[in-house]
Amino acid sequence: MSGFLGTILDGLAALALAAGLPFAAGGPPPLAHGYVEGEYLRIAAPSAGMLESLSVARGTQVAAGAPLFAIDRATATAERDRLAAALAQARAQRADLATGKRPQEVAVLAAQKARAEAALRFSTAELVRQRELVARKVSSPDKLDQALAAYDRDRGQVAEAEAQLAVAALPARPDQLRAADEAVTQADAALAQAERRLADLAPVAPAAALVEDTLYNPGEWVPAGSPVVSLLPPERVKLVLFVPETAMAGVASGGALSVRCDGCPPGLSARVTRVASQAEYTPPVIYSVGSREKLVFRVEAVPDRPLNPGLPVDVWPVDAQATGAVQ
C-alpha cells in the first residue's frame, strides 16, 4: 500500500512542478524553471564548391583537430603549387645576387688577367731594352716612346682585370638586394595565404565535440559560408533559467544550484555564470499557472555534466538539496 501511495505522491509532485505550484509532500517548489541550451559551432568553408568528402556522422563524437569535411580543392591546390614555385624562384634569385658571379665567369676573368700580365711583362722588358738602346744612341726616341706607351697600356689592362675579379666576388648592389628581399617576402606571404585558403577548404574540429548535425552530403554543391557540420562541445552546454524577482536574493554569479529533470540521474548541480541586470516577463516556453505574467530574471548556469539541449529543468538552492527537500 505504501508503494502505491508513493507512486501517487510522485505523480502529483510531477504535475505540481509542471504547473509551477508548490507541493507540500515533496518539499519546497523549485527556485526556477528553465531549459538546457547548446551553443553550437557551425563550421563552414569560405568558398563555394562541391563537397568532396564528409569525415563525420551525426551523433558521433569528434576529437579536437580531427578532419570534418573537405570542399573540392583542385584549383586551390594548383594555385598553392604555383605560388610555392614562385617563392622558390624568388629565393634562388636572392641567393644568386648575394654570391657574385659563377665560378666559370670568374675563371674567364682570371684568364684575361693572366693574358694582361703576360703582355705587361713583355712591354716592361721592351721598355727596359729601348731605354738602353737610346742611351747608347742605337735606337731612336720614338721607339722608346712607343715602348713606354705599350707599357702603360698593358699595366692599365692588368689593373682592369684585377678590378673585374674583385667585383665578380661582390654581391649585387644594396638596392638590388633589398628589392630581392621584398620579392621573397611578397612571394612568402602569397604562399601562406594560399595554404590558409587550402586549409579553410578542409577544416578540422576546433574542440572535442558532439556532431549534432551534418547539413550536406558528398557531391552536393555548398554555397560560400554555408555551414556543413554543426558541433556541440560539452563546455558550451548551459542552463537558461528564469528566476522570479522574489527569489533573486538567493542567486549570485558563481553560486551553486541543484538541478532536476525528467530521466536525469540524481545529484545534478550547476554553477551560475550570468545573472541578467534587468527583469523581463516570463517567456512563453515556461508559462505555467503560477508564473504567468510575473517578472523574472534570466540566469545562466553551467551543469556539472552534459545534458541534452531542449530538456526542461528545475533548480533549487543547494541548501534545499542538503536538507533532503529535493528528492
Side-chain angles (χ1 to χ4, degrees):
M1 184 68 179
S2 59
F4 177 72
L5 179 60
T7 301
I8 294 176
L9 291 176
D10 288 342
L12 292 175
L15 290 173
L17 289 177
L21 298 174
F23 182 65
L31 173 71
H33 306 285
Y35 55 88
V36 182
E37 183 176 270
E39 295 180 345
Y40 296 97
L41 300 177
R42 294 175 173 84
I43 312 300
S47 302
M50 185 187 70
L51 185 60
E52 189 176 81
S53 62
L54 184 64
S55 304
V56 295
R58 295 186 186 95
T60 61
Q61 295 288 333
V62 63
L68 297 176
F69 62 89
I71 302 295
D72 183 21
R73 294 168 291 173
T75 301
T77 300
E79 178 66 8
R80 189 274 312 273
D81 294 343
R82 184 186 71 81
L83 292 173
L87 176 60
Q89 180 182 7
R91 286 175 174 170
Q93 291 175 344
R94 172 61 175 83
D96 182 66
L97 290 174
T99 56
K101 292 185 178 296
R102 294 173 296 177
Q104 294 84 351
E105 295 174 322
V106 173
V108 172
L109 294 176
Q112 293 175 350
K113 177 176 177 289
R115 186 170 63 249
E117 288 174 341
L120 179 60
R121 287 193 295 272
F122 176 80
S123 59
T124 301
E126 179 63 18
L127 178 61
V128 171
R129 190 174 71 85
Q130 288 296 330
R131 282 175 176 171
E132 292 176 352
L133 292 176
V134 169
R136 296 201 308 258
K137 298 186 183 302
V138 174
S139 179
S140 66
D142 292 339
K143 291 185 177 180
L144 177 60
D145 292 339
Q146 293 175 359
L148 182 59
Y151 168 78
D152 292 339
R153 180 200 62 208
D154 294 339
R155 189 174 61 176
Q157 289 179 346
V158 170
E160 179 183 2
E162 291 175 345
Q164 287 179 345
L165 276 174
V167 170
L170 295 176
R173 295 191 303 271
D175 55 343
Q176 290 178 314
L177 292 176
R178 284 193 298 270
D181 288 336
E182 292 175 358
V184 170
T185 301
Q186 292 177 359
D188 195 13
L191 177 59
Q193 184 178 13
E195 289 177 341
R196 176 62 184 178
R197 182 174 181 272
L198 195 59
D200 289 342
L201 292 176
V204 298
L210 169 71
V211 181
E212 188 269 338
D213 199 4
T214 57
L215 307 174
Y216 290 90
N217 294 316
E220 292 183 322
W221 183 264
V222 181
S226 181
V228 176
V229 174
S230 179
L231 302 178
L232 181 59
E235 65 273 11
R236 297 178 74 94
V237 175
K238 63 183 180 181
L239 306 183
V240 178
L241 309 169
F242 297 94
V243 182
E245 287 182 295
T246 55
M248 282 301 297
V251 178
S253 182
L257 298 171
S258 296
V259 182
R260 181 175 176 180
C261 54
D262 294 338
C264 296
L268 288 177
S269 64
R271 177 176 53 84
V272 177
T273 57
R274 178 180 178 270
V275 178
S277 59
Q278 294 182 347
E280 58 184 276
Y281 284 105
T282 305
V285 70
I286 62 166
Y287 267 169
S288 65
V289 175
S291 64
R292 189 168 298 167
E293 296 184 355
K294 290 183 178 179
L295 287 175
V296 293
F297 285 81
R298 180 187 172 102
V299 174
E300 296 180 2
V302 176
D304 62 351
R305 67 194 74 178
L307 297 174
N308 293 327
L311 185 67
V313 296
D314 299 318
V315 298
W316 285 261
V318 170
D319 55 359
Q321 176 71 29
T323 59
V326 179
Q327 303 297 327

